[in-house]
Amino acid sequence: MTKIKKYFLKIFYDKGIWLTLLLSIFVLIVFFGEILKNPNQVYFSNSGDGLQSYYTTIYHIKYDSTYSHFQGMNYPYGEHILFTNCQPVISNTLKFISQNIIDVSDYAIGVINLMMLFSIVIAAIFLYLILREFNLNWIYSIFVAIGISYLSPLVNRFPGHYSLSYVSTIPIILYLLIKFYKNPSWIISLITGLFILIMTTFHMYNFAFAAFILGIFWIIQLISDKNYRKWKFSLINIFLQIILPILIINIWLLITDTVSDRTSYPWGFVAYKSSWVGIFLPQPFIKLSFLESFLYTPSSSWEGLSYIGHVSTFYYIFIFTFWSCIPFFSPKNIVFFLSILIIGFVIYFLTKRKKNFLILSQNKFINIILWIGFISLPLSFAWPFSYFPELIYFAGPLKQFRGIGRFAWIFYFTINIATFYIIYNLKYFRKNINIVIMIIAILVLYIDAYSNIKNVPQYITNKVPELSNSSEKVAFDSIIDTIDISKYQSIIPIPFFHVGSENFWLTSYGKSDYYSIIFSLKTGLPLNAVMMSRTSISQSINNIALVLEPYKKLKVIEDCKSPNSFLLLVAECSEIKSSEKELINKATFIVKNNFFSLYEISPSIIQQTSDSTYIKVKNELASEKLFSFNNYYSTDSINRFLSLDFNDKISSYSYEGKGCYTGNIKKYNRIFEGNIPNIIPDSEFVFSFWFGKIDQDLFPRTTVEVAYADSLGNIIRADSCAINRLIKTINNDWA
C-alpha cells in the first residue's frame, strides 16, 4: 500500500499532469464549447448507429427490469445488453442511481456525450505519463500528448460509434503495460485485467485490441527474456491480464444469455479493412496524375482510416528501414514497393544499424511497441484473407471482428509515441538544432490535429426536436396523449426494419426507425424491429414473418403471450411493401400527422391472415376462368411461364415432391438456363422459388443472379441481389 500511496502522491504533485489537464480541456472548450454548455441537448447523431446507441441506453435505464437484458427491440425476445451498444457500465450505473437514489435517466445523453469528449483529455494525460516514463522533457511531453490525442482517428467515431469512440482506451492499456514491464507485478496485471473487463463491456473490439497488444508483448518477451520463461509467473500474469476478463464476460453470458444461434460469420471482414492509403495519407489526399502509373492508391474503407500524421509518416521509413516496404506490397504497386525497399536498405546501412535487424530502437520497450503496432498493420489490411478469402473459415474468433481496419488504431498510437521519443533523443545535430526540430515537429502535429478535429463539432451538433423543448415535441406528445398506451404490447414499424442479424437485412424507409424509436422512448413500448448486432437468426425469422406474405400461424404471436394489441407505426413513404399494406388494411386507424400514422391490430387478426390468404386463393380458383398447365393454373390460355420441380434430383431434403436442387454454397450454381415460352416483349417477369436452410448461418446471404441474353447468347443485362432482401414468405426452414 505504501508503494501505491507514493505513486499517487507523485502523480498528484506532477505539475505536468495538471498542465496537460488544463491545456487539453482548453482545447476541448475551443472546439466543443457550444456542446459543453448544454451537453444534454446535443445529439452526436440523430440517425443510424448513433441514435440507436442513445435509444438502447436510455430505454435500458428507464424501462428494463434487469441489468443484463434489453427489452426495447426484438420484442418479445429482447437482447442481451452486450449486443445493444448501450454501454452497460454507463447505463447500469445510471439505472442503479435512478432506481435507488434519484432519477437521473433524463441526463443520460449528457453523460454519454461528456464521457466521449473527456476521453480525449484522459488520453492526453496517459500519453503524457507514457512519454514521461521514457524520461522525456515534461513540457515537450505535454504538447506531444495533447497533439496525439486530438489527431486520434477515434475522434471520428463521435458521430456514430459511441462504444468505440473512447480515445483513452489504447493509451491506458499501453501505460499499464509499460508499468508492468518496468515492475512486473500481479497487482498491475489485475488492474490491467479489470480495466480490460470494463472496456470489453463497452465493445468487444476493446478486448481484441488489448489481447493483441498484450499477446504480442508476451510472445516477444518469452522469446527474448529468460525471466519471462518462469512459467508460474507468466501464466498467472497472462491469466490476470487477458484470460480473466474474457472468462468473466463468458460466464456472465452463460448465466444470462439464452441465444445459441448468433452468426459466426459477420459480413464485412474483407470489406471494412484498412490500406496504406488510410494510414499514411491525409483524407482527402491530392492525387497527382503523373504518379498514377507509378503509384496505385487503393481505396480505404472508412473503417480503416487511421492517419498517423505527417511527422510519423516521415519518420516511419527511418524507423523501420527495409521493413517499411511491407504495408505497400501489392501486385499493382510492385514498383513503389521495390522503391521503398531500396530506400529502406540505404537508410539501414547509412545509419549504421546493428546487425540485429529486429532492433528498431535502443529503448527495448519502444522497440516492443513498435513491433506490436507494425504487426497490427497487416491484420488491419485483412491479410492474408484479402488474397485468400476461404481462410476466413479457419480464422476462429477473429472472424467475429469484421471491422478489421480498426486494428490500425494500435499502430497510430505506437508509431506516434515512438516517433516523438526518437525526435527528442536525436543526437545527429547540435542541441539548438534538435530543439528547433522538436518545435517544428510539434507544430506539424498540431496542424494535423487541427485538420482532424476542426469539422467534428459541426458533424456532432445535432438536434432531435421531438425529445427537446420544441413545437415538434409538443406535436409528438399530443399524439401520444390521444391513445391509451396500456392497450398495446409493442410497436410494429412500417416499413419494417431489421438490421443486425447479419443474415437478414430490411432497411428503414420514411424514417420509420427514427419515429418508432422516439415513440418507444416516450411510451416504453418495445419494438418488434431490430437495429442491434448479432441478433438470433431464429428470432429474426419470427419477427420478420410479421411483415411477409401470410402463410401460416406466426410463432412470434404465440411467443408474445399477451392478449394486448400491437401498435402499427406507419411512416409516410412510397416504399411500403404489398404484404405490409395487407397488414395495414386489416388494422384499425387511430391517428396521424404529417410523418406517420398509427393503427392498432390484435394478435388474433394477425394470426387469421394466413386463413384469409387461403380463402382468397380458394375464391380465385372458384370465380376466375383458369387454364391448366402441368398442375398450375393461369388466366391466360397461352402458356407463358416455365416451372421446374427438380423431381429428377432426388433428395431427402425437399420442400415438396421427391427432390430439390442442391449445390455447394461456396460455388456458382446455375439453376436454370433457357427460354421462357411465348413471352410478351417488355413485360415483367417474376422468378419465384423456395429456398431451404433459411434458418442457418450464411445461407440467407446467398446471392441470386438473373442474366438476360439476346438471340445470339450475348448477355445484355444482369441483376443480382442477396436472398435475404428478396424473401416473400417463410415456412419453417424454407423461404
Side-chain angles (χ1 to χ4, degrees):
M1 290 302 293
T2 306
K3 285 185 178 180
I4 297 173
K5 184 178 179 181
K6 285 182 178 179
Y7 170 77
F8 281 108
L9 284 173
K10 181 183 175 183
I11 294 292
F12 183 79
Y13 287 110
D14 188 336
K15 58 183 178 293
I17 289 179
W18 292 106
L19 260 175
T20 304
L21 176 66
L22 292 173
L23 288 175
S24 54
I25 290 176
F26 172 76
V27 176
L28 198 70
I29 292 171
V30 169
F31 286 96
F32 301 99
E34 290 301 314
I35 296 174
L36 293 172
K37 287 179 182 177
N38 200 350
N40 209 54
Q41 295 300 315
V42 176
Y43 293 79
F44 284 11
S45 177
N46 56 10
S47 63
D49 291 340
L51 182 63
Q52 179 260 2
S53 292
Y54 286 131
Y55 165 70
T56 54
T57 303
I58 298 169
Y59 192 97
H60 181 63
I61 295 168
K62 284 191 170 187
Y63 303 113
D64 284 336
S65 56
T66 72
Y67 287 93
S68 296
H69 203 70
F70 171 73
Q71 276 295 142
M73 287 181 170
N74 197 37
Y75 179 81
Y77 314 105
E79 183 57 278
H80 195 281
I81 58 171
L82 281 181
F83 300 94
T84 65
N85 288 323
C86 78
Q87 306 185 58
V89 173
I90 297 176
S91 58
N92 278 336
T93 300
L94 296 179
K95 185 177 181 67
F96 178 83
I97 294 170
S98 295
Q99 291 181 343
N100 298 283
I101 304 173
I102 185 173
D103 187 3
V104 293
S105 58
D106 290 335
Y107 299 98
I109 301 292
V111 172
I112 294 170
N113 293 346
L114 289 175
M115 285 194 66
M116 285 190 282
L117 289 174
F118 276 90
S119 73
I120 309 176
V121 175
I122 296 169
I125 291 171
F126 277 92
L127 286 166
Y128 167 82
L129 290 171
I130 289 170
L131 296 170
R132 291 291 287 154
E133 288 289 335
F134 300 121
N135 299 315
L136 304 191
N137 175 274
W138 67 279
I139 296 176
Y140 176 79
S141 298
I142 289 171
F143 287 100
V144 170
I146 294 172
I148 295 174
S149 297
Y150 280 93
L151 177 58
S152 169
L154 281 84
V155 172
N156 295 298
R157 296 282 153 172
F158 286 0
H161 292 169
Y162 305 155
S163 301
L164 279 171
S165 64
Y166 294 96
V167 183
S168 54
T169 303
I170 294 175
I172 292 175
I173 293 170
L174 291 174
Y175 176 71
L176 291 170
L177 183 58
I178 191 174
K179 296 302 290 185
F180 177 82
Y181 174 77
K182 286 190 169 185
N183 182 27
S185 161
W186 69 267
I187 294 177
I188 297 174
S189 291
L190 181 61
I191 293 170
T192 303
L194 291 175
F195 175 73
I196 293 169
L197 172 64
I198 291 169
M199 296 315 298
T200 301
T201 66
F202 281 79
H203 210 295
M204 281 298 295
Y205 274 94
N206 291 324
F207 174 78
F209 300 148
F212 183 89
I213 292 168
L214 295 168
I216 300 297
F217 167 81
W218 277 99
I219 290 171
I220 292 173
Q221 289 300 91
L222 287 169
I223 293 171
S224 64
D225 191 336
K226 63 181 180 181
N227 291 323
Y228 279 74
R229 294 182 206 133
K230 298 172 183 175
W231 297 111
K232 184 179 178 181
F233 159 81
S234 296
L235 290 174
I236 289 173
N237 286 288
I238 291 172
F239 176 81
L240 292 174
Q241 292 174 7
I242 305 174
I243 299 173
L244 182 61
I246 198 64
L247 183 64
I248 293 173
I249 290 293
N250 278 290
I251 291 172
W252 183 26
L253 284 170
L254 186 66
I255 296 171
T256 57
D257 185 30
T258 58
V259 174
S260 59
D261 62 342
R262 303 187 191 279
T263 181
S264 298
Y265 300 92
W267 184 87
F269 190 87
V270 294
Y272 297 140
K273 60 184 178 181
S274 188
S275 71
W276 68 265
V277 172
I279 307 297
F280 299 105
L281 294 179
Q283 303 295 323
F285 62 91
I286 300 171
K287 288 191 175 183
L288 301 175
S289 57
F290 72 92
L291 284 178
E292 286 186 355
S293 59
F294 169 75
L295 182 61
Y296 169 67
T297 52
S299 60
S300 187
S301 164
W302 176 74
E303 292 281 9
L305 297 182
S306 187
Y307 178 52
I308 61 175
H310 284 89
V311 179
S312 291
T313 297
F314 176 78
Y315 273 92
Y316 165 78
I317 195 168
F318 290 95
I319 294 171
F320 289 98
T321 61
F322 58 82
W323 296 104
S324 59
C325 64
I326 292 176
F328 303 96
F329 174 76
S330 168
K332 297 180 180 180
N333 245 355
I334 197 66
V335 176
F336 185 62
F337 169 78
L338 292 173
S339 300
I340 297 293
L341 178 62
I342 293 168
I343 294 170
F345 267 112
V346 171
I347 292 172
Y348 181 80
F349 288 111
L350 287 178
T351 53
K352 298 178 181 179
R353 297 281 179 92
K354 290 185 176 181
K355 290 182 179 179
N356 190 341
F357 50 82
L358 293 175
I359 296 177
L360 306 174
S361 168
Q362 295 308 308
N363 184 296
K364 188 178 178 183
F365 190 80
I366 289 290
N367 196 63
I368 291 172
I369 65 169
L370 277 170
W371 281 115
I372 289 172
F374 190 75
I375 294 169
S376 74
L377 277 186
L379 180 60
S380 74
F381 296 170
W383 288 359
F385 308 102
S386 292
Y387 297 106
F388 307 101
E390 62 275 7
L391 291 177
I392 294 173
Y393 297 104
F394 307 99
L398 182 63
K399 62 178 176 285
Q400 287 291 330
F401 300 98
R402 62 176 178 180
I404 201 73
R406 298 166 182 171
F407 279 85
W409 299 345
I410 298 171
F411 180 70
Y412 168 80
F413 285 106
T414 58
I415 188 64
N416 273 290
I417 291 169
T419 294
F420 285 93
Y421 166 84
I422 289 168
I423 290 173
Y424 181 82
N425 287 283
L426 281 174
K427 302 298 181 184
Y428 302 116
F429 307 105
R430 294 179 181 178
K431 185 177 180 180
N432 291 340
I433 296 176
N434 284 342
I435 292 173
V436 170
I437 291 173
M438 284 189 282
I439 293 171
I440 292 172
I442 291 174
L443 287 174
V444 173
L445 173 64
Y446 274 62
I447 291 170
D448 284 335
Y450 172 75
S451 297
N452 185 57
I453 203 82
K454 64 179 181 180
N455 293 321
V456 174
Q458 72 182 60
Y459 295 141
I460 65 174
T461 307
N462 302 290
K463 297 290 183 183
V464 178
E466 293 82 1
L467 295 177
S468 58
N469 294 322
S470 65
S471 57
E472 289 89 346
K473 179 182 185 297
V474 174
F476 206 101
D477 291 348
S478 65
I479 286 183
I480 295 175
D481 292 339
T482 63
I483 59 178
D484 181 3
I485 298 301
S486 63
K487 290 173 55 181
Y488 308 103
Q489 56 177 308
S490 71
I491 301 167
I492 302 176
I494 294 179
F496 196 79
F497 59 92
H498 192 289
V499 180
S501 72
E502 303 293 328
N503 284 280
F504 302 95
W505 193 287
L506 299 179
T507 305
S508 169
Y509 293 101
K511 297 178 72 173
S512 64
D513 55 348
Y514 177 85
Y515 292 115
S516 57
I517 280 174
I518 292 172
F519 206 96
S520 175
L521 277 180
K522 287 178 174 289
T523 62
L525 288 175
L527 307 176
N528 289 83
V530 167
M531 191 188 292
M532 296 184 288
S533 60
R534 311 297 195 274
T535 308
S536 159
I537 297 172
S538 59
Q539 292 172 5
S540 298
I541 288 174
N542 293 345
N543 260 320
I544 289 170
L546 279 168
V547 292
L548 297 179
E549 292 179 4
Y551 189 79
K552 56 180 289 187
K553 302 294 187 200
L554 298 178
K555 188 175 187 306
V556 68
I557 301 298
E558 297 170 358
D559 292 341
C560 285
K561 297 181 175 64
S562 170
N564 288 4
S565 294
F566 294 93
L567 196 65
L568 302 187
L569 190 149
V570 183
E572 293 293 324
C573 66
S574 58
E575 288 85 359
I576 298 174
K577 296 183 296 187
S578 58
S579 56
E580 292 174 327
K581 290 178 180 176
E582 285 291 322
L583 195 62
I584 296 169
N585 290 337
K586 290 177 170 50
T588 303
F589 173 77
I590 304 174
V591 68
K592 69 174 295 185
N593 62 15
N594 294 331
F595 306 106
F596 61 87
S597 304
L598 295 178
Y599 296 77
E600 67 174 82
I601 187 169
S602 69
S604 59
I605 291 177
I606 293 177
Q607 287 291 47
Q608 290 168 10
T609 53
S610 57
D611 297 333
S612 63
T613 302
Y614 170 79
I615 295 169
K616 180 182 177 182
V617 173
K618 189 174 181 181
N619 291 338
E620 285 179 358
L621 288 170
S623 63
E624 295 188 20
K625 184 179 181 181
L626 303 173
F627 301 90
S628 176
F629 298 102
N630 296 327
N631 296 323
Y632 288 87
Y633 291 94
S634 171
T635 54
D636 196 328
S637 60
I638 300 174
N639 182 14
R640 303 187 190 279
F641 66 90
L642 191 70
S643 66
L644 301 174
D645 56 22
F646 299 112
N647 279 332
D648 58 326
K649 300 181 182 295
I650 304 298
S651 173
S652 58
Y653 182 79
S654 61
Y655 182 77
E656 190 176 80
K658 299 178 181 178
C660 67
Y661 181 94
T662 57
N664 189 331
I665 196 171
K666 298 179 184 178
K667 295 182 179 179
Y668 199 95
N669 296 275
R670 184 164 295 184
I671 309 299
F672 167 75
E673 182 176 11
N675 298 318
I676 298 170
N678 306 310
I679 64 167
I680 300 173
D682 299 321
S683 56
E684 182 181 273
F685 293 90
V686 175
F687 295 86
S688 181
F689 54 92
W690 284 98
F691 183 86
K693 299 188 177 180
I694 200 69
D695 60 344
Q696 295 188 25
D697 199 9
L698 287 180
F699 281 82
R701 283 148 60 181
T702 301
T703 298
V704 174
E705 181 177 285
V706 180
Y708 313 90
D710 61 19
S711 58
L712 299 176
N714 301 311
I715 302 297
I716 56 175
R717 177 180 167 181
D719 297 323
S720 64
C721 190
I723 285 284
N724 56 22
R725 295 176 183 265
L726 299 172
I727 294 173
K728 297 297 181 183
T729 193
I730 294 177
N731 184 21
N732 297 326
D733 57 342
W734 287 83

